[in-house]
């Protein structure tokens, strides 16, 4: 099994197929230290790496220099106030206002089943190690939880904090922390803004603190709860990479602190800013889980480990491994200006083209003719949809299409019946006018009565018609924080309670409608995180549907999240966000890297584009399995070379692969390009076919010959120059005999 414990020496070794993670307890008084995280090793006793001899501290022999010991020991879960002056994982305040805390080892336990809190990982082939730490003065118990699966190169950590004696206030309670040496490491984070989410940033790690966080109540467009700590020579193919990804959908904190001895402390958890949790005697607090991944196959290996972990042990939906219906969403087609006739016309044309589901976006309820009103009034606008929702859904079903619907359940418009009835349900500080964003407020769904109301109106709609898909949107951050139900010393719990409320609601929804396909969304991709993936197998990646901007968004997203989770649609041009015109064909190739769908008025797009849709539908059916279930390899990055982009999806048994190549910029006097494939079986022989959009068939590509996998991966293939900008090509690499 993956976890080995040397109880005598108090060494804990967690092995995954290719990595080892080791922590151990120092001599008296027993501090838990981080020893090693890297390539799998056999020896467990590598405790010399704790370097306790350099700054010895053994209270019974030498009490003189405790603080120098505390300030350099590689604590596995560092606590504030007793001599470790670096950033810490835990800060606790007593009712008197004292904040000193010191954690000593108190024991361990091991379970052979994984049934952690939601959101979190699951699976039968895993083990959970609990290491117990204690602060006797505070009556505080800290349980460090480590989950490991035998099929996955990831360590999942979280922490449970229990007050056994007195009331305590958690000012900071991170999910995980660990220390390592900085050997010229670089830090990768994913940053952006609305319509430009998750672009990759990389920079050398310097002394002091560096990191990212959200204080918006959601994950945010701006930053991701992800850290990549990589060796200087790390590429997509080689070098060392540690990935840290918090499984959480609210205010997060992810940072690295380089201390005086060039050692790094890597931390992640709930953002301590504006957070506090009151722990009465006997109460406990459970942090979100965080996934750690180590790869010595560079960023590619890191991504593949995250993808496998999330596909096999996090996403729960019954749609997890199924082909998602190709949907057409009416947002960019009509915005608020639609009625049942228009939707049925779109559905009719879509059905004729092979599209499988119509999604009715914002604007179908209350008096919602623009974004100024009606959020909260989840009853159908019969002026728009004459005869009601069921009639429309039945009409769409009769055309052979499934039906999906948009909600923004967490919101309330000041101009809504709901607000007029319950103004106190909106988050606002009494006596202060709360700030609007998109002319809306946020419902305080930390309150049960509010959640119960939201669930009831949602299920009334879902029970009323055959709705098979829900897009759950969230279009503004939280501000002006106050919850009318919480006492003063619990107000700082609101942001976390809000996120727990979202989880509870989505959990309830999926329990009641297990076959429902749920897609999360937040003004595009502001809630693209592993927490949401527990409830929805796909998330709308970005409101930017431009194929070229998407190359960068999807590259950053795929660094951590499986391609099967990336909501991606073909839209009309000039693109509504950037005004760019790209070939319809290329838009299809880029959307194929995600869930694949359409976001356009199919009755009005140019006839030659419409004519291509049946072929694209076929393309999706031919290749979606490779994309959704395969291993992802990055071949070239447009964000680095500014000329072209390329990625591969390789079947787990290496019998086939799909290569996408996008020539973003044509170049004068341009040669063909040689690219090296990845992920194939070196000993297998493969043939290469191009997907031809015109004939909707595969045609041999390049010299008509069979190549060995090692030739394709080391010597490479030639991609002929494609005439023009924004051109793409799709190659299917098939092993002989398969
Ligand atoms: C958000 C979503 C869009 C669309 C609009 C509707 O911006 O990201 O896809 O649903 O809301 O208002």
């Amino acid at each position: 099994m993956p976890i080995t414990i040397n109880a005598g020496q108090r060494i804990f070794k967690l092995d995954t197929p290719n990595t080892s993670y080791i922590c151990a307890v120092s001599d008296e008084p027993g501090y838990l230290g981080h020893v090693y995280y890297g390539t799998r090793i056999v020896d467990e006793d590598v405790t010399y790496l704790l370097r306790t001899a350099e700054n010895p501290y053994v209270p019974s022999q030498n009490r003189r220099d405790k603080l120098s010991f505390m300030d350099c020991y590689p604590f596995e879960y560092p606590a504030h106030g007793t001599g470790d002056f670096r950033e810490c994982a835990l800060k606790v305040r007593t009712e008197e206002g004292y904040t000193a805390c010191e954690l000593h080892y108190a024991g361990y336990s091991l379970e052979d089943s994984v049934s952690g809190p939601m959101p979190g990982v699951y699976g039968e082939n895993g083990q959970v190690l609990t290491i117990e730490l204690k602060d006797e003065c505070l009556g505080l118990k800290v349980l460090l939880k480590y989950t490991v699966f035998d099929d996955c190169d990831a360590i999942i950590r979280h922490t449970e904090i229990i007050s056994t004696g007195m009331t305590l206030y958690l000012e900071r309670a991170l999910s995980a922390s660990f220390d390592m040496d900085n050997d010229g490491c670089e830090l990768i984070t994913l940053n952006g803004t609305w319509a430009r989410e998750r672009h990759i940033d990389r920079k050398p790690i310097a002394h002091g603190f560096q990191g990212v966080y959200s204080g918006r109540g959601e994950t945010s467009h701006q930053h991701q709860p992800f850290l990549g700590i990589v060796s200087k020579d790390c590429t997509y193919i080689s070098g060392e990479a540690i990935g840290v990804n918090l499984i959480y959908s609210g205010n997060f904190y992810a940072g690295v602190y380089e201390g005086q001895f060039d050692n790094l402390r890597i931390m992640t958890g709930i953002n301590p800013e504006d957070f506090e949790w009151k722990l009465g005697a006997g109460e406990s607090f459970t942090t979100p889980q965080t996934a750690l991944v180590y790869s010595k196959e560079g960023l590619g290996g890191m991504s593949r480990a995250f993808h496998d972990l999330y596909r096999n042990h996090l996403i729960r939906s019954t749609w997890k491994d199924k082909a998602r219906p190709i949907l057409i969403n009416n947002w960019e087609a009509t915005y608020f200006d639609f009625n049942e006739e228009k939707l049925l016309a779109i559905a009719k044309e879509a059905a004729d083209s092979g599209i499988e589901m119509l999604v009715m976006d914002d604007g179908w309820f209350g008096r919602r003719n623009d974004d100024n009103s009606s959020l909260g009034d989840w009853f159908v606008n019969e002026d728009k949809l004459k005869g009601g929702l069921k009639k429309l859904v039945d009409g769409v079903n009769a055309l052979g299409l499934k039906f999906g619907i948009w909600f923004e359940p967490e919101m309330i418009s000041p101009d809504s019946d709901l607000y007029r009835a319950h103004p106190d349900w909106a988050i606002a500080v009494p006596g202060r006018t709360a700030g609007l964003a998109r002319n809306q407020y946020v419902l305080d769904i930390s309150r049960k009565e509010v959640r119960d109301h939201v669930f009831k109106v949602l299920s009334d709609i879902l029970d009323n018609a055959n709705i098979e898909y829900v897009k759950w949107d969230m279009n503004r951050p939280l501000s002006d924080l106050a919850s009318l139900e919480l006492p003063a010393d619990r107000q700082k719990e609101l942001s976390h309670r809000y996120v727990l409320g979202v989880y509870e609601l989505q959990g309830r929804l999926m329990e009641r409608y297990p076959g429902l396909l749920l897609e999360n969304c937040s003004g595009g991709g502001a809630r693209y995180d592993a927490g949401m993936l527990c409830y929805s197998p796909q998330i709308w990646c970005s409101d930017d549907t431009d194929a070229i901007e998407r190359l960068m968004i999807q590259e950053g997203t795929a660094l951590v999240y499986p391609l099967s989770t990336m909501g991606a649609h073909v839209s009309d041009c000039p693109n509504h966000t950037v005004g760019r015109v790209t070939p319809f064909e290329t838009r299809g190739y880029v959307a194929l890297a995600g869930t694949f769908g359409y976001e356009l008025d199919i009755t009005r797009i140019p006839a030659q584009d419409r004519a291509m849709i049946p072929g694209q539908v076929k393309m999706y059916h031919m290749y979606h399995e490779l994309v959704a279930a395969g291993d992802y390899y990055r071949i070239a990055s447009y964000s680095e070379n500014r000329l072209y982009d390329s990625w591969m999806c390789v079947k787990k048994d290496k019998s086939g692969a799909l290569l996408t190549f996008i020539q973003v910029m044509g170049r004068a006097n341009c040669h063909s390009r040689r690219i090296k494939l990845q992920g194939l079986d070196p000993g297998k022989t493969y043939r290469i076919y191009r997907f031809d959009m015109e004939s909707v068939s595969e045609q041999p590509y390049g010299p008509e010959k069979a190549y060995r996998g090692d030739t394709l991966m080391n010597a490479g293939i030639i991609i002929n120059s494609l005439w023009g900008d924004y051109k793409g090509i799709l190659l299917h690499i098939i092993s002989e005999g398969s």
Side-chain angles (χ1 to χ4, degrees):
M1 282 307 261
I3 299 178
T4 328
I5 294 157
N6 180 329
Q9 287 179 277
R10 303 190 295 187
I11 300 169
F12 303 90
K13 181 164 184 272
L14 291 76
D15 289 322
T16 69
N18 300 294
T19 71
S20 294
Y21 184 106
I22 304 175
C23 49
V25 182
S26 70
D27 295 338
E28 173 204 346
Y31 297 113
L32 185 69
H34 182 78
V35 181
Y36 173 75
Y37 187 30
T39 299
R40 185 165 176 165
I41 56 174
V42 175
D43 279 338
E44 64 196 30
D45 187 5
V46 285
T47 48
Y48 55 89
L49 294 170
L50 291 174
R51 295 178 168 127
T52 44
E54 286 177 36
N55 275 293
Y57 168 63
V58 180
S60 59
Q61 296 161 25
N62 156 27
R63 289 166 51 84
R64 232 186 70 98
D65 285 315
K66 175 177 176 184
L67 262 56
S68 25
F69 171 89
M70 298 296 277
D71 207 19
C72 64
Y73 188 73
F75 284 100
E76 181 72 0
Y77 196 72
H80 170 88
T82 46
D84 182 345
F85 297 104
R86 295 162 284 180
E87 294 260 332
C88 65
L90 180 70
K91 186 171 180 189
V92 181
R93 195 180 71 245
T94 63
E95 285 200 298
E96 297 85 353
Y98 308 140
T99 56
C101 177
E102 184 170 322
L103 299 174
H104 300 156
Y105 174 74
Y108 76 90
S109 61
L110 200 55
E111 288 156 73
D112 282 331
S113 67
V114 181
S115 56
M118 271 284 273
V121 293
Y122 66 92
E124 279 164 14
N125 53 333
Q127 281 186 305
V128 185
L129 167 69
T130 301
I131 302 180
E132 184 180 329
L133 308 177
K134 258 188 188 160
D135 181 312
E136 298 285 357
C137 293
L138 297 174
L140 183 72
K141 242 202 241 178
V142 172
L143 306 179
L144 303 184
K145 305 266 183 179
Y146 300 81
T147 304
V148 189
F149 299 101
D150 61 17
D151 62 349
C152 207
D153 278 321
I155 312 280
I156 299 90
R157 285 188 58 181
H158 73 278
T159 302
E160 206 180 314
I161 301 160
I162 304 156
S163 174
T164 61
M166 58 177 104
T167 295
L168 294 170
Y169 295 88
L170 301 178
E171 291 189 13
R172 188 176 173 107
L174 299 187
S175 298
S177 162
F178 63 95
D179 288 14
M180 60 184 265
D181 283 16
N182 184 10
D183 198 7
C185 288
E186 298 188 333
L187 179 66
I188 296 181
T189 52
L190 300 172
N191 308 302
T193 180
W194 173 77
R196 193 155 35 83
E197 297 91 338
R198 293 176 296 285
H199 281 221
I200 298 172
D201 267 1
R202 179 168 174 165
K203 55 184 173 228
I205 295 178
H207 285 95
F209 177 78
Q210 48 246 272
V212 283
Y213 63 86
S214 165
R216 295 167 189 262
E218 58 175 343
T219 318
S220 87
H221 296 100
Q222 287 73 15
H223 305 291
Q224 266 287 306
F226 163 78
L227 299 169
I229 297 97
V230 302
S231 57
K232 210 179 258 159
D233 62 355
C234 179
T235 66
Y236 271 110
I237 306 173
S238 63
E240 289 188 284
I242 289 178
V244 179
N245 189 219
L246 190 68
I247 303 176
Y248 189 56
S249 313
N251 290 342
F252 70 85
Y253 163 97
V256 171
Y257 176 83
E258 180 172 0
Q260 57 187 328
F261 306 115
D262 307 332
N263 46 347
L264 292 183
R265 175 161 287 171
I266 295 147
M267 294 156 291
T268 187
I270 294 176
N271 188 352
E273 183 71 30
D274 259 332
F275 166 84
E276 185 166 287
W277 199 273
K278 183 178 178 183
L279 270 189
E283 287 178 1
S284 73
F285 177 80
T286 302
T287 72
Q289 296 189 346
T290 191
L292 313 179
V293 155
Y294 168 85
S295 151
K296 65 171 180 179
E297 287 176 24
L299 294 173
M302 178 193 80
S303 303
R304 288 187 290 279
F306 276 128
H307 294 188
D308 283 345
L309 174 71
Y310 292 161
R311 286 184 301 200
N312 300 335
H313 297 293
L314 183 81
I315 301 170
R316 286 162 166 81
S317 164
T318 52
W319 284 96
K320 180 165 94 83
D321 301 317
K322 285 197 218 151
R324 318 283 159 75
I326 300 177
L327 66 83
I328 184 161
N329 177 302
N330 75 312
W331 178 239
E332 286 194 25
T334 65
Y335 295 101
F336 294 100
D337 184 16
F338 62 88
N339 55 24
E340 85 283 0
E341 250 171 71
K342 177 81 226 169
L343 293 179
L344 284 168
I346 291 177
K348 166 85 180 64
E349 192 70 50
D352 291 348
S353 300
I355 292 171
E356 296 155 334
M357 177 159 74
L358 175 79
V359 174
M360 178 172 67
D361 211 279
D362 194 356
W364 57 268
F365 52 91
R367 287 175 294 103
R368 182 94 166 158
N369 296 318
D370 56 30
D371 59 9
N372 285 311
S373 81
S374 302
L375 293 169
D377 294 347
W378 300 109
F379 48 84
V380 176
N381 179 343
E382 296 220 16
D383 291 338
K384 271 186 178 175
L385 305 180
K386 300 217 164 49
L389 186 60
K390 182 164 175 4
K391 183 161 170 257
L392 171 68
V393 177
D394 289 348
V396 170
N397 287 168
L399 292 166
L401 258 60
K402 295 177 187 297
F403 186 88
I405 200 167
W406 179 97
F407 283 106
E408 199 178 350
E410 300 158 60
M411 296 293 149
I412 181 164
S413 304
D415 180 7
S416 66
D417 292 351
L418 185 67
Y419 189 77
R420 284 181 280 275
H422 297 286
D424 61 307
W425 283 8
I427 293 180
V429 177
R432 175 185 289 276
T433 309
L436 287 161
R438 212 189 187 204
N439 218 348
Q440 64 199 56
Y441 293 127
V442 184
L443 280 172
D444 184 358
I445 59 166
S446 72
R447 291 165 63 175
K448 186 167 180 319
E449 62 172 323
V450 179
R451 283 201 304 278
D452 287 347
H453 169 82
V454 168
F455 188 73
K456 179 166 183 328
V457 289
L458 238 67
S459 45
D460 282 351
I461 293 284
L462 296 181
D463 290 343
N464 172 263
N466 184 26
I467 297 170
E468 298 180 72
Y469 161 108
V470 164
K471 176 174 171 188
W472 180 304
D473 209 341
M474 196 270 192
N475 279 321
R476 63 155 287 177
L478 276 61
S479 69
D480 301 276
L481 294 182
S483 180
L484 300 188
E485 274 191 355
L486 294 175
D489 63 353
R490 286 195 183 273
Q491 283 295 331
K492 283 186 168 189
E493 297 179 8
L494 174 58
S495 298
H496 184 53
R497 286 182 183 274
Y498 181 90
V499 178
L500 296 179
V502 175
Y503 291 149
E504 198 248 357
L505 267 177
Q506 295 203 0
R508 254 207 257 179
L509 188 72
M510 293 320 300
E511 210 176 295
R512 168 117 167 223
Y513 307 99
L516 185 74
L517 176 55
L518 183 64
E519 176 155 353
N520 266 290
C521 170
S522 178
R527 207 142 69 175
Y528 206 119
D529 60 68
M532 287 287 103
L533 288 181
C534 282
Y535 305 92
S536 67
Q538 59 194 57
I539 302 175
W540 184 227
C541 211
S542 173
D543 277 345
D544 199 324
T545 51
D546 168 58
I548 304 309
E549 172 55 40
R550 274 292 181 126
L551 293 177
M552 292 171 288
I553 295 174
Q554 293 182 186
E555 179 187 2
T557 308
L559 206 55
V560 185
Y561 304 106
L563 274 51
S564 61
T565 68
M566 300 199 303
H569 298 167
V570 175
S571 63
D572 198 12
C573 277
N575 178 267
H576 293 196
T577 316
V578 296
R580 195 175 352 242
V581 176
T582 53
F584 200 73
E585 197 170 330
T586 304
R587 286 175 252 160
Y589 296 152
V590 175
L592 183 65
T595 54
F596 195 78
Y598 292 89
E599 179 119 2
L600 39 72
D601 186 345
I602 192 171
T603 65
R604 295 174 67 177
I605 56 171
Q608 68 272 22
D609 290 354
R610 189 163 49 242
M612 223 181 273
I613 294 179
Q616 287 185 329
V617 166
K618 186 164 174 212
M619 170 183 84
Y620 167 80
H621 287 297
M622 285 164 76
Y623 303 124
H624 79 85
E625 204 181 320
L626 259 169
V627 174
D631 282 330
Y632 164 77
Y633 290 86
R634 176 60 49 179
I635 306 297
S637 160
Y638 163 61
S639 56
E640 280 170 16
N641 65 39
R642 310 312 293 172
L643 288 170
Y644 63 102
D645 209 51
S646 183
W647 62 92
M648 281 176 75
C649 299
V650 183
K651 256 193 168 167
K652 288 273 176 196
D653 68 4
K654 301 193 181 291
S655 63
L658 187 71
L659 175 112
T660 311
F661 181 95
I662 308 289
Q663 176 176 297
V664 180
M665 296 286 287
R667 251 177 145 194
N669 196 15
C670 186
H671 246 59
S672 57
R673 254 177 221 295
R674 179 156 69 148
I675 58 165
K676 295 177 184 176
L677 307 193
Q678 294 176 45
L680 303 174
D681 182 334
K684 277 198 164 112
T685 52
Y686 295 89
R687 288 189 177 269
I688 303 182
Y689 300 89
R690 181 172 81 86
F691 177 75
D692 180 46
M693 204 60 245
E694 249 170 61
S695 61
V696 194
S697 64
E698 293 187 337
Q699 306 295 332
Y701 186 73
E704 255 196 76
K705 69 190 259 8
Y707 309 78
R708 273 178 57 101
D710 56 355
T711 308
L712 294 171
M713 293 192 289
N714 295 303
I717 60 166
I718 297 293
I719 302 278
N720 296 322
S721 176
L722 305 164
W723 176 247
D725 293 345
Y726 316 137
K727 291 294 173 63
I729 184 170
L730 209 59
L731 299 182
H732 192 190
I733 298 121
I734 309 174
S735 79
E736 287 198 308
S738 65

